[in-house]
Amino acid sequence: MSGLATSRFADAFPFLAGLGEETCASFQPHISYATVPAGQHVCWEGDICPQLAIVLSGSVRVYKVGENGREITLYRIGRNDSCILTASCILSQTRFPALAVVEQAVEVAVIPAARLREWVAQHEVWRSYVFGLMSQRLAEVITILNEVAFRRVDARIAELLLKLGAQQPQIAVTHQEMASELGTAREVVSRILKDFERENLLALSRGTVTLLDRAGLQHKAQIL
């Protein structure tokens, strides 16, 4: 491999660093690289998964849409990360059960499905990577399900606001975007934000929320 190809490969697959150069070189010809712009859907519900992409930069949101049209974010895929649902679909040869959209333009390393199945079957390092990815994501999805099922929406909204406003008090976010993130109705988010505004916890304007009282929001986030 050339120096540039070797560097790019090492950046995409750090978990292969302990393998010998010859073994790594055997994987490299089967891997391609691509860029995808923000806003583009990369998977639709019911799709066959022909490849697994590992994100080198940018962000992808994986989400579900209910029969009532409400969305809920399952997880996001960032640098050196990949999609548990895609990996699962490839290994079980089933169809993709959610949707995935690029939030921030991504560069990805792409592995054909047949090669992934072959490598998982033949190499412990690939098995460890894929099943470790599944274990991590499963824990995240279970946490989301617990949040939706058992935690108050106002507490979840307060926590989301604190997360989004960690760097600065003014947040560029719509009520619909918050509803889609949390798996609830826009009307519910709007009502709770209005309540928070009346309590002087925040100020609302079109497309933005300004945090005024972080301690108050932290208290709201801790209410079960």
Side-chain angles (χ1 to χ4, degrees), residues 125-138:
V125 67
W126 282 100
R127 287 195 293 276
S128 295
Y129 171 74
V130 171
F131 293 122
L133 179 69
M134 290 181 177
S135 175
Q136 174 189 343
R137 290 301 189 195
L138 180 60

Side-chain angles (χ1 to χ4, degrees), residues 62-189:
V62 180
Y63 65 102
K64 285 283 288 182
V65 178
E67 292 183 1
N68 58 7
R70 293 183 191 172
E71 297 179 7
I72 183 168
T73 300
L74 299 179
Y75 53 85
R76 285 180 169 82
I77 308 166
R79 177 176 167 80
N80 289 337
D81 207 354
S82 191
C83 179
I84 174 181
L85 292 178
T86 302
S88 176
C89 289
I90 288 172
L91 296 181
S92 62
Q93 299 190 56
T94 55
R95 293 178 181 269
F96 197 72
L99 299 97
V101 63
V102 176
E103 286 191 317
Q104 299 174 357
V106 294
E107 181 183 9
V108 294
V110 179
I111 306 166
R115 289 297 178 184
L116 182 68
R117 286 192 289 267
E118 175 186 320
W119 293 346
V120 168
Q122 295 179 359
H123 300 280
E124 175 63 31
V125 67
W126 282 100
R127 287 195 293 276
S128 295
Y129 171 74
V130 171
F131 293 122
L133 179 69
M134 290 181 177
S135 175
Q136 174 189 343
R137 290 301 189 195
L138 180 60
E140 292 177 13
V141 172
I142 288 174
T143 298
I144 290 170
L145 291 176
N146 284 334
E147 292 264 314
V148 173
F150 304 118
R151 194 174 178 205
R152 288 173 47 154
V153 178
D154 57 348
R156 297 174 64 217
I157 289 175
E159 183 174 72
L160 178 61
L161 289 170
L162 290 167
K163 178 181 178 181
L164 295 175
Q167 302 302 320
Q168 57 184 20
Q170 190 172 74
I171 307 164
V173 64
T174 67
H175 297 191
Q176 183 58 59
E177 287 169 342
M178 294 180 65
S180 297
E181 184 73 17
L182 299 173
T184 189
R186 181 187 59 79
E187 294 78 11
V188 173
V189 171

Side-chain angles (χ1 to χ4, degrees), residues 41-48 63 96-100:
H41 275 81
V42 289
C43 283
W44 295 93
E45 190 160 358
D47 278 356
I48 294 172
Y63 65 102
F96 197 72
L99 299 97

